[in-house]
Amino acid sequence: MANVIVEPFSLTEDRYDQSEFTGRLKRISSLFNPLYLFASAEEIAEAQQLLADYGAGKESALNTNPSELWDARSLIDARVHPDTGKPVPRFLCFAAYAPLQPPIIMGLMWPGAGMASALFWQWWNQSYNVAVNYANRNEASTLTDSELALAYGAGVTTAMGATLGFAKLTERMVKKFPAASGTLKMFIPFISIVAAGTVTLVVVRRGELTNGVAVSDSDGNVYGNSKKAGMVGISQCAIARVLWNIPVLILPPLFLARVRRTAFLRNNPKMDFPILTATVTGAIVLGIYPAQAVFAQRASIDAKSLEPEFQNRRHPTTNELVQTYWFNKGL
């Protein structure tokens, strides 16, 4: 059996190369791994203690297999808030995102459900998204309760408004293209989700547009806050949200258009909805991980792309001109 090469452990550096898409995809897959939902409070505490002992230089931890140390760090990254050091509520951590999508999808696409049901599930989805954002918020964030309420209201209003608007538009289009009615109706919930998610993102993180985000050099020396870097970060997060829904908007209609013409589905019409739900859920899972890996969380930006005050700045130790800055893009 071939030996598996494990990277030397680090408390600060990423296990996988974040300059490459495959490395970012591996990191995101670990962060969103639903298996971490089964970790108990005791297991999380043990992982925290192991990493603390390693940081303190205790011999027992230093002699631990690097693979075990990486597993402990992955668990902590997925389940523990980086600022408070406390576990994020189980169903509000990122590892729960994919497993919790099927019930929402079933609610949004339930056969024969009326507008009231569609609006309820849009409200539920936005409520869940805001709860996730709140549970995983940066503790240094200046977001007040009133601003959070504003973001919540904006997301729910956008989702419901888009649902109503696209439903009316679809009704008109179905009259012209009756054969495509099923496909057209599939677009309503997901277009609404994309629109609402983008609005909520901008409202929740608008402080990054008005106050900027901290930018630093490769050694971590901070040079101030940049509004332009904040704009880039939010734009990349918005693009990722659109990208992970593209598989849902393209793959299921194409797949189902073929399946619905088969003898199996004509003879078993009750299987239409289970197949629809499984197809859309699979498309969401396939979309989330690659979309989040398109951009690195620790993003870089050329000094020339920032405000004048960040140009011609020099490293405090080497006195070299800082040509590239780094900042936290967020998720």
Side-chain angles (χ1 to χ4, degrees):
M1 181 176 179
N3 293 326
V4 177
I5 299 176
V6 179
E7 300 83 353
F9 180 71
S10 171
L11 285 171
T12 56
E13 298 297 323
D14 283 299
R15 181 175 187 176
Y16 308 108
D17 185 359
Q18 295 302 288
S19 66
E20 298 181 355
F21 175 79
T22 53
R24 297 194 295 271
L25 183 59
K26 289 178 180 179
R27 179 183 180 276
I28 289 296
S29 298
S30 175
L31 185 63
F32 282 70
N33 186 351
L35 294 178
Y36 286 131
L37 293 174
F38 298 101
S40 65
E42 291 75 16
E43 290 173 319
I44 294 174
E46 290 175 3
Q48 287 179 305
Q49 187 61 55
L50 175 60
L51 297 183
D53 290 346
Y54 184 91
K58 291 189 176 181
E59 185 176 353
S60 58
L62 294 176
N63 292 330
T64 300
N65 189 301
S67 181
E68 293 181 31
L69 292 168
W70 281 120
D71 288 343
R73 184 179 165 187
S74 294
L75 172 60
I76 298 307
D77 288 345
R79 292 290 309 277
V80 175
H81 196 290
D83 296 335
T84 65
K86 297 179 180 178
V88 175
R90 192 183 303 268
F91 294 109
L92 295 181
C93 68
F94 290 116
Y97 186 86
L100 290 182
Q101 290 310 295
I104 296 175
I105 294 170
M106 291 176 68
L108 288 169
M109 312 190 88
W110 194 263
M115 183 55 65
S117 175
L119 294 177
F120 169 80
W121 283 104
Q122 287 290 357
W123 165 79
W124 179 270
N125 183 59
Q126 291 307 312
S127 299
Y128 170 68
N129 288 339
V130 170
V132 169
N133 288 333
Y134 182 78
N136 292 277
R137 73 194 185 282
N138 190 318
E139 286 296 300
S141 172
T142 58
L143 187 69
T144 64
D145 290 342
S146 61
E147 290 173 329
L148 181 66
L150 174 63
Y152 175 64
V156 171
T157 301
T158 301
M160 292 186 172
T163 298
L164 291 170
F166 283 110
K168 292 181 179 179
L169 177 62
T170 300
E171 288 178 4
R172 297 175 184 174
M173 295 182 68
V174 166
K175 293 178 181 179
K176 295 182 179 181
F177 309 100
S181 61
T183 300
L184 290 171
K185 290 178 181 178
M186 276 193 61
F187 287 116
I188 297 175
F190 291 99
I191 291 177
S192 302
I193 287 172
V194 169
T198 302
V199 169
T200 302
L201 173 70
V202 173
V203 174
V204 168
R205 295 175 58 178
R206 72 181 188 279
E208 298 176 28
L209 300 175
T210 57
N211 303 321
V213 296
V215 293
S216 62
D217 57 34
S218 58
D219 293 324
N221 299 301
V222 178
Y223 293 81
N225 284 8
S226 168
K227 296 179 182 179
K228 290 188 176 181
M231 172 65 79
V232 170
I234 290 179
S235 297
Q236 290 181 350
C237 288
I239 291 172
R241 280 162 169 73
V242 173
L243 289 177
W244 80 47
N245 281 284
I246 286 178
V248 177
L249 295 173
I250 296 177
L251 298 182
L254 294 176
F255 175 73
L256 292 169
R258 289 178 174 272
V259 173
R260 283 169 176 156
R261 291 197 296 265
T262 63
F264 171 78
L265 207 53
R266 287 198 301 268
N267 296 329
N268 300 275
K270 291 184 179 180
M271 291 300 297
D272 186 281
F273 182 67
I275 292 175
L276 170 66
T277 302
T279 303
V280 175
T281 301
I284 286 179
V285 173
L286 290 174
I288 292 174
Y289 302 106
Q292 286 286 11
V294 170
F295 305 106
Q297 183 169 351
R298 185 169 181 257
S300 62
I301 188 169
D302 193 284
K304 296 178 181 178
S305 300
L306 297 182
E307 294 86 344
E309 60 265 32
F310 295 104
Q311 299 173 24
N312 300 318
R313 298 289 295 273
R314 295 188 175 275
H315 191 284
T317 304
T318 65
N319 201 39
E320 293 180 354
L321 199 65
V322 179
Q323 298 182 346
T324 302
Y325 288 94
W326 300 83
F327 64 97
N328 182 17
K329 170 187 71 67
L331 289 173

